[in-house]
Amino acid sequence: MSLQIPKIKTYIGFAIKSREIKFGVDDIVKTKNPKLVLASKGLGESSLSKLKKFLDSKNMEVTLLDDADFAEIMQSENIKAVSIENNNLAEAIKKNLTNF
């Protein structure tokens, strides 16, 4: 399994600068058009259930990453889920998730 972590971190940085990213399940379920949702496998069961229910209504799936990989990408162990709102950034991140 080989994620392109440096590239993904760069794209996440672009999303943060352009304010096209949401952090946390509560903010994600308030969004209108998530393009890509990434979550840590360490996300709580009830939060994951809430997130999956929301994404089912959007015909999307959550992409689960290992705790260590997700923490390295986000540079924080406190963030467990993010949503990318920009289509181009979401596609670029998807291409660098080579373990899927």
Side-chain angles (χ1 to χ4, degrees), residues 22-97:
K22 299 291 181 196
F23 298 98
V25 174
D26 291 335
D27 284 345
I28 293 171
V29 298
K30 294 177 187 173
T31 62
K32 293 181 182 172
N33 291 337
K35 306 298 183 207
L36 174 66
V37 177
L38 301 174
S40 170
K41 288 183 180 177
L43 184 65
E45 191 175 315
S46 63
S47 295
L48 185 59
S49 169
K50 182 178 181 181
L51 189 59
K52 284 183 177 182
K53 184 177 178 182
F54 168 72
L55 292 175
D56 283 344
S57 71
K58 302 285 186 186
N59 289 330
M60 293 181 62
E61 290 187 17
V62 63
T63 303
L64 293 174
L65 301 175
D66 291 331
D67 289 341
D69 290 338
F70 193 82
E72 185 176 349
I73 289 168
M74 297 311 302
Q75 299 176 349
S76 171
E77 292 184 9
N78 296 327
I79 299 170
K80 298 292 183 190
V82 295
S83 169
I84 307 298
E85 309 294 311
N86 181 296
N87 196 41
N88 292 329
L89 290 173
E91 289 301 319
I93 291 170
K94 284 180 192 176
K95 287 179 185 174
N96 288 288
L97 295 172

